[in-house]
Each structure stands twice: as structure tokens, then as C-alpha cells.
Amino acid sequence: MKKKIIITLLALGLPALLLASGHGEGADHYEAITGRSSDFVPRIFNFLIFAGLLYYLIAEPVRNFFSGRREKIASQLREIERRLQEAKEARKAAEQALAESEKKAKEILEDAEKEASLLTERYRELGERELEALERQYRERMEVEERKMQRETIVSLLDENIQPDDIPLSGAQVIETLAKKVA
């Protein structure tokens, strides 16, 4: 297409430039042939024919070029607007997701605090129960040890102060005492 335009321009423009005459020797010859002293009107006529041919040959490609360019720019603009809209929607979705995540995080923190307080209370109660059980065991053991010590003291006192010869016991009395203790 460009080759065609360049060849047409050269074919029309080159002879016009080469055959253009000034006021030298060719001017007299022109006046003799045409009867006019100036070639202004024919040059305007030639220029109009040249402009018409140029318009005929170049108008459609130029029009196509500009309409194609306009379409290309319009499609790029539509693509940019589409991307912008997608970006706005993505941003809005991200903001909603962020708000939802923050809400969930607050709920999780509140649940964790509640659970921590419940666990603390539970372990505190468990510790108190264990402490009470240990204290009760300690008291019981102390009572057992105290009774044991009392028995040992009584037995040692009795062993030191009373001799087997001091208490006369018969076999029947020993059996009776054992039967009472067993019963």
C-alpha cells in the first residue's frame, strides 16, 4: 500500500517539478502557444487534479488508519476501565475479608480469654481440693502418729514400771481378754 502511494506521488510530482518553467526563455514560447503571459490558472488546475488524485488514493487508507487507531485506543480504554473495575472489586472484597478476619480475631481472643479464665478457675478449684485433701491426709497421719506415739509411750512406761510378776494372770484370764479384743 505504501509502495503504491510513493510510486503515485513520484509519477505525478516528478514531472511537475521538472517541467515547471520560470520567466526565462520558455516564457515567451508559452505565451506564443497559449496566448497567455502566465501559467497560473493551468497550475491551479493541475494542483486540483493532483490533490483530487491524492485524496482518491490516500483518503481511504488514512481514514482506515485513524479509525483503526481510534478503535485500538477505545479498546485499550475499555480494557483499562475493566481492569480498574476488577481492581476496585478486588479491593472491596479484600476489605470485607479483612473486616471479617478482624471480627473473627476478636471473637477468637474473647473465646481464648473466657477459656483461660475458666481453666484458671478450674485449676484453682482443683488445687484447693488437692490442698484440702493433703491437709486432711496430714491431719489423719498426725493423729495416727500421735496415737502410735501414745501407744509406744504407754507400752514403754508399762514395760519399765510393770514386771510380769506384778500382775498375776492365769491362762483363762488371758484367753478371756483376747476374746474381748477380737470381738
Side-chain angles (χ1 to χ4, degrees):
M1 185 69 173
K2 289 182 180 182
K3 248 184 190 180
K4 183 179 173 185
I5 293 171
I6 292 172
I7 291 173
T8 305
L9 287 176
L10 285 175
L12 294 175
L14 192 59
L17 289 174
L18 293 175
L19 297 175
S21 64
H23 283 290
E25 59 204 40
D28 294 331
H29 178 66
Y30 180 77
E31 191 175 334
I33 294 175
T34 60
R36 287 182 252 153
S37 63
S38 168
D39 64 346
F40 182 71
V41 174
R43 283 185 185 218
I44 288 178
F45 182 72
N46 282 341
F47 177 75
L48 290 176
I49 291 173
F50 176 72
L53 282 173
L54 254 163
Y55 179 78
Y56 178 75
L57 294 174
I58 295 177
E60 190 65 28
V62 169
R63 192 176 304 129
N64 289 341
F65 170 77
F66 283 115
S67 67
R69 182 162 169 80
R70 184 178 338 133
E71 286 300 318
K72 185 178 176 183
I73 291 171
S75 69
Q76 287 176 345
L77 183 60
R78 282 191 298 271
E79 178 67 21
I80 289 170
E81 287 175 351
R82 184 187 61 80
R83 286 183 184 173
L84 181 64
Q85 187 64 30
E86 287 177 358
K88 285 180 182 179
E89 290 172 1
R91 180 179 181 213
K92 187 178 261 186
E95 286 175 350
Q96 288 176 348
L98 178 65
E100 189 174 312
S101 296
E102 287 176 350
K103 184 179 177 184
K104 282 186 178 182
K106 284 181 182 178
E107 289 176 3
I108 290 171
L109 283 175
E110 289 172 359
D111 290 345
E113 288 175 359
K114 288 178 185 176
E115 190 173 335
S117 66
L118 289 174
L119 285 174
T120 303
E121 183 64 28
R122 183 173 154 209
Y123 283 120
R124 187 184 56 77
E125 289 174 4
L126 192 65
E128 287 176 359
R129 281 191 230 139
E130 281 189 35
L131 184 62
E132 288 174 6
L134 286 173
E135 286 176 354
R136 189 177 35 220
Q137 286 176 353
Y138 175 72
R139 276 182 289 195
E140 288 173 359
R141 213 175 252 172
M142 287 297 287
E143 288 174 6
V144 167
E145 287 295 322
E146 194 175 302
R147 277 189 245 138
K148 188 177 173 183
M149 225 172 27
Q150 285 175 356
R151 274 189 210 143
E152 287 176 1
T153 306
I154 291 173
V155 168
S156 71
L157 279 175
L158 287 177
D159 283 345
E160 288 176 9
N161 293 329
I162 299 178
Q163 299 299 328
D165 296 337
D166 292 342
I167 302 176
L169 285 178
S170 64
Q173 286 178 336
V174 171
I175 291 175
E176 191 180 309
T177 306
L178 284 175
K180 285 181 184 177
K181 286 206 176 212
V182 171

mmCIF file of all heavy atoms in Angstrom, residues 109-151:
data_model
loop_
_atom_site.group_PDB
_atom_site.id
_atom_site.type_symbol
_atom_site.label_atom_id
_atom_site.label_comp_id
_atom_site.label_asym_id
_atom_site.label_seq_id
_atom_site.Cartn_x
_atom_site.Cartn_y
_atom_site.Cartn_z
ATOM 1 N N LEU A 109 -10.077 -14.061 70.313
ATOM 2 C CA LEU A 109 -9.453 -13.518 71.524
ATOM 3 C C LEU A 109 -10.416 -13.572 72.705
ATOM 4 O O LEU A 109 -10.024 -13.941 73.821
ATOM 5 C CB LEU A 109 -8.985 -12.084 71.283
ATOM 6 C CG LEU A 109 -7.699 -11.923 70.476
ATOM 7 C CD1 LEU A 109 -7.420 -10.456 70.213
ATOM 8 C CD2 LEU A 109 -6.540 -12.557 71.199
ATOM 9 N N GLU A 110 -11.675 -13.203 72.479
ATOM 10 C CA GLU A 110 -12.658 -13.242 73.551
ATOM 11 C C GLU A 110 -12.857 -14.673 74.036
ATOM 12 O O GLU A 110 -12.911 -14.931 75.248
ATOM 13 C CB GLU A 110 -13.992 -12.650 73.074
ATOM 14 C CG GLU A 110 -13.956 -11.152 72.867
ATOM 15 C CD GLU A 110 -15.228 -10.611 72.221
ATOM 16 O OE1 GLU A 110 -16.147 -11.407 71.917
ATOM 17 O OE2 GLU A 110 -15.310 -9.388 72.035
ATOM 18 N N ASP A 111 -12.967 -15.612 73.084
ATOM 19 C CA ASP A 111 -13.122 -17.018 73.457
ATOM 20 C C ASP A 111 -11.902 -17.513 74.224
ATOM 21 O O ASP A 111 -12.040 -18.253 75.206
ATOM 22 C CB ASP A 111 -13.346 -17.889 72.216
ATOM 23 C CG ASP A 111 -14.707 -17.667 71.581
ATOM 24 O OD1 ASP A 111 -15.576 -17.059 72.243
ATOM 25 O OD2 ASP A 111 -14.895 -18.095 70.418
ATOM 26 N N ALA A 112 -10.722 -17.113 73.773
ATOM 27 C CA ALA A 112 -9.490 -17.533 74.449
ATOM 28 C C ALA A 112 -9.443 -16.971 75.872
ATOM 29 O O ALA A 112 -9.044 -17.675 76.816
ATOM 30 C CB ALA A 112 -8.266 -17.093 73.652
ATOM 31 N N GLU A 113 -9.847 -15.711 76.036
ATOM 32 C CA GLU A 113 -9.860 -15.114 77.378
ATOM 33 C C GLU A 113 -10.856 -15.835 78.276
ATOM 34 O O GLU A 113 -10.556 -16.126 79.443
ATOM 35 C CB GLU A 113 -10.202 -13.620 77.280
ATOM 36 C CG GLU A 113 -9.089 -12.770 76.710
ATOM 37 C CD GLU A 113 -9.504 -11.322 76.516
ATOM 38 O OE1 GLU A 113 -10.672 -10.972 76.801
ATOM 39 O OE2 GLU A 113 -8.663 -10.533 76.074
ATOM 40 N N LYS A 114 -12.046 -16.135 77.736
ATOM 41 C CA LYS A 114 -13.044 -16.859 78.524
ATOM 42 C C LYS A 114 -12.521 -18.241 78.905
ATOM 43 O O LYS A 114 -12.661 -18.678 80.044
ATOM 44 C CB LYS A 114 -14.350 -16.990 77.732
ATOM 45 C CG LYS A 114 -15.120 -15.699 77.601
ATOM 46 C CD LYS A 114 -16.367 -15.902 76.756
ATOM 47 C CE LYS A 114 -17.097 -14.598 76.517
ATOM 48 N NZ LYS A 114 -18.262 -14.775 75.624
ATOM 49 N N GLU A 115 -11.944 -18.920 77.926
ATOM 50 C CA GLU A 115 -11.414 -20.254 78.181
ATOM 51 C C GLU A 115 -10.281 -20.204 79.201
ATOM 52 O O GLU A 115 -10.202 -21.053 80.092
ATOM 53 C CB GLU A 115 -10.915 -20.876 76.874
ATOM 54 C CG GLU A 115 -10.574 -22.332 76.990
ATOM 55 C CD GLU A 115 -10.246 -22.954 75.649
ATOM 56 O OE1 GLU A 115 -10.710 -22.454 74.616
ATOM 57 O OE2 GLU A 115 -9.522 -23.962 75.663
ATOM 58 N N ALA A 116 -9.426 -19.186 79.082
ATOM 59 C CA ALA A 116 -8.325 -19.054 80.039
ATOM 60 C C ALA A 116 -8.867 -18.803 81.444
ATOM 61 O O ALA A 116 -8.373 -19.399 82.419
ATOM 62 C CB ALA A 116 -7.399 -17.912 79.620
ATOM 63 N N SER A 117 -9.886 -17.945 81.557
ATOM 64 C CA SER A 117 -10.444 -17.687 82.888
ATOM 65 C C SER A 117 -11.123 -18.944 83.435
ATOM 66 O O SER A 117 -11.003 -19.248 84.628
ATOM 67 C CB SER A 117 -11.421 -16.510 82.836
ATOM 68 O OG SER A 117 -12.558 -16.836 82.063
ATOM 69 N N LEU A 118 -11.827 -19.699 82.564
ATOM 70 C CA LEU A 118 -12.452 -20.939 83.016
ATOM 71 C C LEU A 118 -11.402 -21.953 83.460
ATOM 72 O O LEU A 118 -11.553 -22.610 84.502
ATOM 73 C CB LEU A 118 -13.321 -21.532 81.905
ATOM 74 C CG LEU A 118 -14.621 -20.791 81.583
ATOM 75 C CD1 LEU A 118 -15.295 -21.407 80.365
ATOM 76 C CD2 LEU A 118 -15.551 -20.833 82.778
ATOM 77 N N LEU A 119 -10.342 -22.084 82.659
ATOM 78 C CA LEU A 119 -9.273 -23.012 83.026
ATOM 79 C C LEU A 119 -8.591 -22.586 84.321
ATOM 80 O O LEU A 119 -8.278 -23.417 85.180
ATOM 81 C CB LEU A 119 -8.247 -23.120 81.899
ATOM 82 C CG LEU A 119 -8.655 -23.937 80.680
ATOM 83 C CD1 LEU A 119 -7.597 -23.828 79.594
ATOM 84 C CD2 LEU A 119 -8.873 -25.387 81.056
ATOM 85 N N THR A 120 -8.371 -21.285 84.475
ATOM 86 C CA THR A 120 -7.750 -20.775 85.694
ATOM 87 C C THR A 120 -8.623 -21.097 86.896
ATOM 88 O O THR A 120 -8.132 -21.583 87.931
ATOM 89 C CB THR A 120 -7.535 -19.250 85.590
ATOM 90 O OG1 THR A 120 -6.751 -18.981 84.441
ATOM 91 C CG2 THR A 120 -6.860 -18.696 86.817
ATOM 92 N N GLU A 121 -9.905 -20.853 86.767
ATOM 93 C CA GLU A 121 -10.837 -21.137 87.858
ATOM 94 C C GLU A 121 -10.871 -22.635 88.163
ATOM 95 O O GLU A 121 -10.847 -23.049 89.320
ATOM 96 C CB GLU A 121 -12.245 -20.635 87.485
ATOM 97 C CG GLU A 121 -13.266 -20.796 88.557
ATOM 98 C CD GLU A 121 -12.983 -19.993 89.805
ATOM 99 O OE1 GLU A 121 -12.320 -18.937 89.701
ATOM 100 O OE2 GLU A 121 -13.412 -20.421 90.889
ATOM 101 N N ARG A 122 -10.907 -23.431 87.096
ATOM 102 C CA ARG A 122 -10.950 -24.882 87.261
ATOM 103 C C ARG A 122 -9.699 -25.388 87.973
ATOM 104 O O ARG A 122 -9.771 -26.176 88.922
ATOM 105 C CB ARG A 122 -11.074 -25.541 85.896
ATOM 106 C CG ARG A 122 -11.189 -27.024 85.954
ATOM 107 C CD ARG A 122 -11.469 -27.580 84.585
ATOM 108 N NE ARG A 122 -10.992 -28.941 84.510
ATOM 109 C CZ ARG A 122 -10.589 -29.528 83.425
ATOM 110 N NH1 ARG A 122 -10.580 -28.876 82.298
ATOM 111 N NH2 ARG A 122 -10.188 -30.775 83.439
ATOM 112 N N TYR A 123 -8.523 -24.914 87.545
ATOM 113 C CA TYR A 123 -7.287 -25.359 88.178
ATOM 114 C C TYR A 123 -7.145 -24.813 89.592
ATOM 115 O O TYR A 123 -6.582 -25.473 90.470
ATOM 116 C CB TYR A 123 -6.068 -24.995 87.321
ATOM 117 C CG TYR A 123 -5.894 -25.914 86.141
ATOM 118 C CD1 TYR A 123 -5.925 -25.420 84.839
ATOM 119 C CD2 TYR A 123 -5.716 -27.271 86.308
ATOM 120 C CE1 TYR A 123 -5.784 -26.263 83.753
ATOM 121 C CE2 TYR A 123 -5.566 -28.124 85.233
ATOM 122 C CZ TYR A 123 -5.603 -27.619 83.952
ATOM 123 O OH TYR A 123 -5.460 -28.450 82.881
ATOM 124 N N ARG A 124 -7.687 -23.629 89.825
ATOM 125 C CA ARG A 124 -7.657 -23.077 91.174
ATOM 126 C C ARG A 124 -8.501 -23.948 92.104
ATOM 127 O O ARG A 124 -8.072 -24.320 93.197
ATOM 128 C CB ARG A 124 -8.167 -21.639 91.177
ATOM 129 C CG ARG A 124 -8.003 -20.938 92.527
ATOM 130 C CD ARG A 124 -8.609 -19.548 92.527
ATOM 131 N NE ARG A 124 -10.005 -19.514 92.161
ATOM 132 C CZ ARG A 124 -11.020 -19.864 92.975
ATOM 133 N NH1 ARG A 124 -10.775 -20.295 94.187
ATOM 134 N NH2 ARG A 124 -12.256 -19.780 92.569
ATOM 135 N N GLU A 125 -9.712 -24.303 91.641
ATOM 136 C CA GLU A 125 -10.579 -25.165 92.442
ATOM 137 C C GLU A 125 -9.933 -26.538 92.649
ATOM 138 O O GLU A 125 -9.984 -27.097 93.744
ATOM 139 C CB GLU A 125 -11.944 -25.327 91.760
ATOM 140 C CG GLU A 125 -12.792 -24.079 91.795
ATOM 141 C CD GLU A 125 -14.080 -24.230 90.992
ATOM 142 O OE1 GLU A 125 -14.342 -25.337 90.470
ATOM 143 O OE2 GLU A 125 -14.817 -23.234 90.898
ATOM 144 N N LEU A 126 -9.342 -27.060 91.588
ATOM 145 C CA LEU A 126 -8.671 -28.354 91.686
ATOM 146 C C LEU A 126 -7.515 -28.286 92.682
ATOM 147 O O LEU A 126 -7.332 -29.192 93.508
ATOM 148 C CB LEU A 126 -8.163 -28.769 90.303
ATOM 149 C CG LEU A 126 -7.682 -30.196 90.143
ATOM 150 C CD1 LEU A 126 -8.832 -31.170 90.339
ATOM 151 C CD2 LEU A 126 -7.073 -30.393 88.766
ATOM 152 N N GLY A 127 -6.770 -27.210 92.636
ATOM 153 C CA GLY A 127 -5.662 -27.016 93.575
ATOM 154 C C GLY A 127 -6.166 -26.906 95.003
ATOM 155 O O GLY A 127 -5.558 -27.467 95.936
ATOM 156 N N GLU A 128 -7.270 -26.183 95.181
ATOM 157 C CA GLU A 128 -7.829 -26.057 96.526
ATOM 158 C C GLU A 128 -8.285 -27.413 97.056
ATOM 159 O O GLU A 128 -8.048 -27.753 98.218
ATOM 160 C CB GLU A 128 -9.007 -25.070 96.519
ATOM 161 C CG GLU A 128 -8.592 -23.632 96.367
ATOM 162 C CD GLU A 128 -9.793 -22.685 96.269
ATOM 163 O OE1 GLU A 128 -10.949 -23.159 96.308
ATOM 164 O OE2 GLU A 128 -9.561 -21.469 96.153
ATOM 165 N N ARG A 129 -8.937 -28.195 96.188
ATOM 166 C CA ARG A 129 -9.375 -29.535 96.601
ATOM 167 C C ARG A 129 -8.190 -30.409 96.974
ATOM 168 O O ARG A 129 -8.207 -31.122 97.978
ATOM 169 C CB ARG A 129 -10.186 -30.197 95.482
ATOM 170 C CG ARG A 129 -11.594 -29.711 95.431
ATOM 171 C CD ARG A 129 -12.426 -30.581 94.504
ATOM 172 N NE ARG A 129 -13.116 -29.687 93.594
ATOM 173 C CZ ARG A 129 -13.292 -29.872 92.313
ATOM 174 N NH1 ARG A 129 -12.828 -30.942 91.731
ATOM 175 N NH2 ARG A 129 -13.948 -29.000 91.583
ATOM 176 N N GLU A 130 -7.138 -30.345 96.133
ATOM 177 C CA GLU A 130 -5.949 -31.142 96.434
ATOM 178 C C GLU A 130 -5.302 -30.691 97.734
ATOM 179 O O GLU A 130 -4.847 -31.511 98.535
ATOM 180 C CB GLU A 130 -4.948 -31.044 95.285
ATOM 181 C CG GLU A 130 -5.274 -31.908 94.107
ATOM 182 C CD GLU A 130 -4.149 -31.954 93.079
ATOM 183 O OE1 GLU A 130 -2.971 -31.920 93.473
ATOM 184 O OE2 GLU A 130 -4.480 -32.036 91.891
ATOM 185 N N LEU A 131 -5.273 -29.373 97.935
ATOM 186 C CA LEU A 131 -4.700 -28.834 99.167
ATOM 187 C C LEU A 131 -5.506 -29.295 100.376
ATOM 188 O O LEU A 131 -4.939 -29.704 101.400
ATOM 189 C CB LEU A 131 -4.643 -27.309 99.090
ATOM 190 C CG LEU A 131 -3.978 -26.598 100.255
ATOM 191 C CD1 LEU A 131 -2.513 -27.018 100.358
ATOM 192 C CD2 LEU A 131 -4.091 -25.099 100.082
ATOM 193 N N GLU A 132 -6.832 -29.254 100.259
ATOM 194 C CA GLU A 132 -7.681 -29.718 101.353
ATOM 195 C C GLU A 132 -7.452 -31.205 101.610
ATOM 196 O O GLU A 132 -7.370 -31.645 102.764
ATOM 197 C CB GLU A 132 -9.158 -29.466 101.019
ATOM 198 C CG GLU A 132 -9.557 -28.013 101.077
ATOM 199 C CD GLU A 132 -10.995 -27.781 100.594
ATOM 200 O OE1 GLU A 132 -11.711 -28.775 100.318
ATOM 201 O OE2 GLU A 132 -11.386 -26.619 100.515
ATOM 202 N N ALA A 133 -7.353 -31.981 100.495
ATOM 203 C CA ALA A 133 -7.118 -33.418 100.662
ATOM 204 C C ALA A 133 -5.771 -33.663 101.339
ATOM 205 O O ALA A 133 -5.653 -34.530 102.233
ATOM 206 C CB ALA A 133 -7.169 -34.113 99.316
ATOM 207 N N LEU A 134 -4.742 -32.909 100.934
ATOM 208 C CA LEU A 134 -3.424 -33.074 101.550
ATOM 209 C C LEU A 134 -3.462 -32.684 103.030
ATOM 210 O O LEU A 134 -2.848 -33.357 103.881
ATOM 211 C CB LEU A 134 -2.379 -32.246 100.804
ATOM 212 C CG LEU A 134 -1.935 -32.779 99.447
ATOM 213 C CD1 LEU A 134 -1.021 -31.765 98.759
ATOM 214 C CD2 LEU A 134 -1.225 -34.109 99.594
ATOM 215 N N GLU A 135 -4.168 -31.605 103.339
ATOM 216 C CA GLU A 135 -4.271 -31.189 104.744
ATOM 217 C C GLU A 135 -5.003 -32.247 105.572
ATOM 218 O O GLU A 135 -4.602 -32.564 106.692
ATOM 219 C CB GLU A 135 -4.999 -29.847 104.846
ATOM 220 C CG GLU A 135 -4.164 -28.673 104.409
ATOM 221 C CD GLU A 135 -4.944 -27.352 104.439
ATOM 222 O OE1 GLU A 135 -6.170 -27.361 104.688
ATOM 223 O OE2 GLU A 135 -4.306 -26.308 104.212
ATOM 224 N N ARG A 136 -6.077 -32.804 105.004
ATOM 225 C CA ARG A 136 -6.830 -33.848 105.701
ATOM 226 C C ARG A 136 -5.949 -35.073 105.921
ATOM 227 O O ARG A 136 -5.908 -35.650 107.022
ATOM 228 C CB ARG A 136 -8.078 -34.203 104.894
ATOM 229 C CG ARG A 136 -9.036 -35.100 105.624
ATOM 230 C CD ARG A 136 -10.288 -35.382 104.824
ATOM 231 N NE ARG A 136 -9.909 -35.462 103.418
ATOM 232 C CZ ARG A 136 -10.604 -34.962 102.408
ATOM 233 N NH1 ARG A 136 -11.717 -34.394 102.598
ATOM 234 N NH2 ARG A 136 -10.187 -35.043 101.166
ATOM 235 N N GLN A 137 -5.189 -35.462 104.855
ATOM 236 C CA GLN A 137 -4.279 -36.597 104.990
ATOM 237 C C GLN A 137 -3.211 -36.312 106.051
ATOM 238 O O GLN A 137 -2.850 -37.185 106.851
ATOM 239 C CB GLN A 137 -3.598 -36.915 103.658
ATOM 240 C CG GLN A 137 -4.469 -37.585 102.648
ATOM 241 C CD GLN A 137 -3.736 -37.778 101.311
ATOM 242 O OE1 GLN A 137 -2.630 -37.287 101.133
ATOM 243 N NE2 GLN A 137 -4.387 -38.498 100.398
ATOM 244 N N TYR A 138 -2.731 -35.078 106.067
ATOM 245 C CA TYR A 138 -1.712 -34.693 107.044
ATOM 246 C C TYR A 138 -2.277 -34.804 108.459
ATOM 247 O O TYR A 138 -1.623 -35.351 109.359
ATOM 248 C CB TYR A 138 -1.231 -33.271 106.759
ATOM 249 C CG TYR A 138 -0.266 -32.732 107.770
ATOM 250 C CD1 TYR A 138 1.044 -33.206 107.819
ATOM 251 C CD2 TYR A 138 -0.669 -31.776 108.701
ATOM 252 C CE1 TYR A 138 1.925 -32.728 108.768
ATOM 253 C CE2 TYR A 138 0.204 -31.299 109.644
ATOM 254 C CZ TYR A 138 1.499 -31.772 109.666
ATOM 255 O OH TYR A 138 2.372 -31.304 110.611
ATOM 256 N N ARG A 139 -3.483 -34.300 108.655
ATOM 257 C CA ARG A 139 -4.106 -34.369 109.986
ATOM 258 C C ARG A 139 -4.331 -35.825 110.407
ATOM 259 O O ARG A 139 -4.053 -36.208 111.553
ATOM 260 C CB ARG A 139 -5.432 -33.626 110.009
ATOM 261 C CG ARG A 139 -5.258 -32.124 110.242
ATOM 262 C CD ARG A 139 -6.574 -31.470 110.297
ATOM 263 N NE ARG A 139 -6.956 -31.570 108.880
ATOM 264 C CZ ARG A 139 -7.910 -30.927 108.282
ATOM 265 N NH1 ARG A 139 -8.660 -30.159 108.909
ATOM 266 N NH2 ARG A 139 -8.158 -31.040 107.030
ATOM 267 N N GLU A 140 -4.830 -36.637 109.466
ATOM 268 C CA GLU A 140 -5.060 -38.044 109.778
ATOM 269 C C GLU A 140 -3.751 -38.742 110.123
ATOM 270 O O GLU A 140 -3.675 -39.528 111.081
ATOM 271 C CB GLU A 140 -5.744 -38.746 108.590
ATOM 272 C CG GLU A 140 -7.179 -38.346 108.399
ATOM 273 C CD GLU A 140 -7.790 -38.917 107.117
ATOM 274 O OE1 GLU A 140 -7.069 -39.636 106.357
ATOM 275 O OE2 GLU A 140 -8.975 -38.652 106.871
ATOM 276 N N ARG A 141 -2.729 -38.453 109.355
ATOM 277 C CA ARG A 141 -1.428 -39.061 109.618
ATOM 278 C C ARG A 141 -0.883 -38.599 110.973
ATOM 279 O O ARG A 141 -0.293 -39.389 111.717
ATOM 280 C CB ARG A 141 -0.453 -38.674 108.498
ATOM 281 C CG ARG A 141 0.525 -39.767 108.235
ATOM 282 C CD ARG A 141 1.408 -39.475 107.080
ATOM 283 N NE ARG A 141 1.002 -40.338 105.963
ATOM 284 C CZ ARG A 141 1.460 -40.234 104.758
ATOM 285 N NH1 ARG A 141 2.316 -39.292 104.470
ATOM 286 N NH2 ARG A 141 1.075 -41.058 103.832
ATOM 287 N N MET A 142 -1.088 -37.316 111.239
ATOM 288 C CA MET A 142 -0.634 -36.793 112.533
ATOM 289 C C MET A 142 -1.375 -37.491 113.679
ATOM 290 O O MET A 142 -0.774 -37.842 114.698
ATOM 291 C CB MET A 142 -0.861 -35.279 112.612
ATOM 292 C CG MET A 142 0.089 -34.462 111.769
ATOM 293 S SD MET A 142 1.780 -34.651 112.293
ATOM 294 C CE MET A 142 1.768 -33.722 113.782
ATOM 295 N N GLU A 143 -2.685 -37.692 113.491
ATOM 296 C CA GLU A 143 -3.453 -38.390 114.532
ATOM 297 C C GLU A 143 -2.957 -39.821 114.696
ATOM 298 O O GLU A 143 -2.803 -40.314 115.820
ATOM 299 C CB GLU A 143 -4.949 -38.383 114.171
ATOM 300 C CG GLU A 143 -5.592 -37.041 114.315
ATOM 301 C CD GLU A 143 -7.042 -37.026 113.811
ATOM 302 O OE1 GLU A 143 -7.583 -38.108 113.450
ATOM 303 O OE2 GLU A 143 -7.630 -35.929 113.756
ATOM 304 N N VAL A 144 -2.716 -40.487 113.531
ATOM 305 C CA VAL A 144 -2.219 -41.860 113.588
ATOM 306 C C VAL A 144 -0.865 -41.889 114.280
ATOM 307 O O VAL A 144 -0.603 -42.735 115.158
ATOM 308 C CB VAL A 144 -2.141 -42.476 112.170
ATOM 309 C CG1 VAL A 144 -1.341 -43.768 112.169
ATOM 310 C CG2 VAL A 144 -3.523 -42.702 111.615
ATOM 311 N N GLU A 145 0.008 -40.965 113.908
ATOM 312 C CA GLU A 145 1.347 -40.925 114.516
ATOM 313 C C GLU A 145 1.241 -40.592 116.015
ATOM 314 O O GLU A 145 1.984 -41.133 116.840
ATOM 315 C CB GLU A 145 2.228 -39.889 113.805
ATOM 316 C CG GLU A 145 2.683 -40.293 112.426
ATOM 317 C CD GLU A 145 3.594 -41.504 112.448
ATOM 318 O OE1 GLU A 145 4.430 -41.632 113.372
ATOM 319 O OE2 GLU A 145 3.454 -42.345 111.546
ATOM 320 N N GLU A 146 0.312 -39.718 116.355
ATOM 321 C CA GLU A 146 0.140 -39.337 117.752
ATOM 322 C C GLU A 146 -0.336 -40.541 118.575
ATOM 323 O O GLU A 146 0.163 -40.811 119.666
ATOM 324 C CB GLU A 146 -0.887 -38.198 117.835
ATOM 325 C CG GLU A 146 -0.919 -37.494 119.164
ATOM 326 C CD GLU A 146 -1.870 -36.305 119.112
ATOM 327 O OE1 GLU A 146 -1.656 -35.416 118.259
ATOM 328 O OE2 GLU A 146 -2.805 -36.279 119.915
ATOM 329 N N ARG A 147 -1.321 -41.287 118.027
ATOM 330 C CA ARG A 147 -1.810 -42.485 118.712
ATOM 331 C C ARG A 147 -0.685 -43.515 118.838
ATOM 332 O O ARG A 147 -0.524 -44.164 119.878
ATOM 333 C CB ARG A 147 -2.992 -43.075 117.944
ATOM 334 C CG ARG A 147 -4.282 -42.397 118.291
ATOM 335 C CD ARG A 147 -5.466 -43.139 117.694
ATOM 336 N NE ARG A 147 -6.075 -42.235 116.720
ATOM 337 C CZ ARG A 147 -6.509 -42.575 115.540
ATOM 338 N NH1 ARG A 147 -6.430 -43.815 115.138
ATOM 339 N NH2 ARG A 147 -7.036 -41.682 114.746
ATOM 340 N N LYS A 148 0.070 -43.650 117.742
ATOM 341 C CA LYS A 148 1.185 -44.605 117.748
ATOM 342 C C LYS A 148 2.189 -44.224 118.827
ATOM 343 O O LYS A 148 2.691 -45.076 119.583
ATOM 344 C CB LYS A 148 1.835 -44.612 116.362
ATOM 345 C CG LYS A 148 2.860 -45.679 116.178
ATOM 346 C CD LYS A 148 3.371 -45.612 114.729
ATOM 347 C CE LYS A 148 4.512 -46.544 114.500
ATOM 348 N NZ LYS A 148 5.053 -46.430 113.154
ATOM 349 N N MET A 149 2.489 -42.913 118.903
ATOM 350 C CA MET A 149 3.431 -42.441 119.901
ATOM 351 C C MET A 149 2.882 -42.657 121.317
ATOM 352 O O MET A 149 3.626 -43.049 122.231
ATOM 353 C CB MET A 149 3.712 -40.942 119.676
ATOM 354 C CG MET A 149 5.163 -40.640 119.762
ATOM 355 S SD MET A 149 5.697 -38.991 119.317
ATOM 356 C CE MET A 149 4.412 -37.900 119.581
ATOM 357 N N GLN A 150 1.578 -42.425 121.452
ATOM 358 C CA GLN A 150 0.972 -42.643 122.772
ATOM 359 C C GLN A 150 1.069 -44.116 123.157
ATOM 360 O O GLN A 150 1.397 -44.460 124.308
ATOM 361 C CB GLN A 150 -0.500 -42.209 122.767
ATOM 362 C CG GLN A 150 -0.689 -40.727 122.785
ATOM 363 C CD GLN A 150 -2.186 -40.335 122.654
ATOM 364 O OE1 GLN A 150 -3.034 -41.191 122.476
ATOM 365 N NE2 GLN A 150 -2.443 -39.042 122.763
ATOM 366 N N ARG A 151 0.791 -45.006 122.219
ATOM 367 C CA ARG A 151 0.881 -46.432 122.495
ATOM 368 C C ARG A 151 2.302 -46.815 122.871
ATOM 369 O O ARG A 151 2.531 -47.578 123.829
ATOM 370 C CB ARG A 151 0.455 -47.234 121.263
ATOM 371 C CG ARG A 151 -0.994 -47.447 121.194
ATOM 372 C CD ARG A 151 -1.321 -48.431 120.081
ATOM 373 N NE ARG A 151 -2.644 -48.085 119.582
ATOM 374 C CZ ARG A 151 -3.032 -48.141 118.350
ATOM 375 N NH1 ARG A 151 -2.206 -48.552 117.421
ATOM 376 N NH2 ARG A 151 -4.244 -47.822 118.017
#
